Amino acid sequence: GNLLLREGKFEEAKQYAQHYVNELKSGGYEAQELFEALNILAFSYIRRTLSKDAIPIVEEMLSLCDALPDVIRLTKTFRCNNILGLLHFELSRSNEGLTYLERAHEIALELGDKNILSTITGNLGLVHSSLSNDVKALELLRYSEDISIELKTYDHLAIVSDNIATIFNKHGDYTKALEYFSKALTLHTNSNAKDGIGRALGHI
């Protein structure tokens, strides 16, 4: 299933994952195994931007988290809340998205993992910007930027740079907007992320 997702064969991944989920539910299952099967199913929709179809699947994943082994329970709970936040945001339900992302942020702080802190602060910044809380958005995005530079997670830094540039652009600070869109373009080019390259060029 994951291989099919990586190859962009999303409908095939969906069919495989649904069969896998049905088989697990009919014959008894471990929570972790069902969680991973549902994850493949959810992303077969998410990768096709079918957010509405993915939400109930991710909600089911979240409901399984309490039954997962302690060593992964918090990380998987973070993952579900983060995904649900972004899915609601994509459906223009920014306030609902913010609720899930704030829960994910609390978990990230509890875990003390800089990688997921960078991810969630970047996502929170995006949602706050959509709600016109641009001062808060910029604060969160700059924090995410600093961690991305420290950890050398350049793919994430490219996305954060795009989002920072968008805020400057919205407020008419075109010099800063160009600076950050150009930074994003360089990072996307280095990783050959063609969709990111296209977005950055369009903005510039």
Side-chain angles (χ1 to χ4, degrees):
N2 283 316
L3 179 61
L4 289 167
L5 286 177
R6 285 196 295 272
E7 291 177 350
K9 298 175 180 177
F10 304 131
E11 182 60 32
E12 289 179 54
K14 172 195 157 188
Q15 292 171 8
Y16 182 88
Q18 189 63 69
H19 178 74
Y20 186 23
V21 168
N22 292 344
E23 195 172 81
L24 288 170
K25 287 183 175 180
S26 67
Y29 58 86
E30 291 184 1
Q32 187 172 347
E33 190 173 12
L34 181 58
F35 184 98
E36 298 302 338
L38 288 167
N39 185 68
I40 296 168
L41 183 59
F43 273 89
S44 75
Y45 289 106
I46 291 169
R47 296 284 174 81
R48 290 179 288 173
T49 64
L50 299 172
S51 302
K52 191 174 181 180
D53 296 299
I55 284 174
I57 302 167
V58 183
E59 287 174 340
E60 186 176 355
M61 290 164 61
L62 183 59
S63 72
L64 286 169
C65 286
D66 285 340
L68 295 174
D70 287 344
V71 69
I72 62 168
R73 179 176 52 80
L74 275 180
T75 303
K76 298 298 188 185
T77 304
F78 165 84
R79 177 176 175 79
C80 292
N81 279 292
N82 184 49
I83 293 170
L84 284 168
L86 292 174
L87 291 174
H88 281 289
F89 171 69
E90 287 170 9
L91 291 169
S92 300
R93 303 170 186 164
S94 294
N95 286 312
E96 289 178 68
L98 189 59
T99 299
Y100 282 108
L101 292 175
E102 285 175 342
R103 287 179 197 157
H105 188 225
E106 289 172 8
I107 296 167
L109 290 170
E110 184 178 346
L111 289 168
D113 185 315
K114 286 188 175 182
N115 271 304
I116 64 173
L117 270 171
S118 176
T119 297
I120 193 59
T121 51
N123 292 341
L124 276 168
L126 186 63
V127 175
H128 275 290
S129 178
S130 76
L131 293 168
S132 297
N133 301 330
D134 288 331
V135 172
K136 181 67 173 176
L138 201 54
E139 175 190 331
L140 288 160
L141 289 166
R142 283 274 173 78
Y143 180 79
S144 183
E145 177 188 27
D146 289 343
I147 298 177
S148 298
I149 291 169
E150 178 187 343
L151 299 178
K152 299 181 180 179
T153 50
Y154 296 121
D155 287 351
H156 183 66
L157 180 59
I159 295 166
V160 171
S161 297
D162 266 327
N163 292 335
I164 291 173
T166 300
I167 294 175
F168 283 124
N169 188 49
K170 183 162 64 170
H171 289 278
D173 189 342
Y174 301 125
T175 301
K176 277 288 185 185
L178 279 170
E179 176 189 332
Y180 273 92
F181 280 134
S182 297
K183 183 187 292 186
L185 176 60
T186 299
L187 291 164
H188 286 309
T189 301
N190 289 344
S191 61
N192 197 32
K194 292 184 179 179
D195 53 343
I197 293 168
R199 282 196 309 274
L201 286 170
H203 287 137
I204 290 169

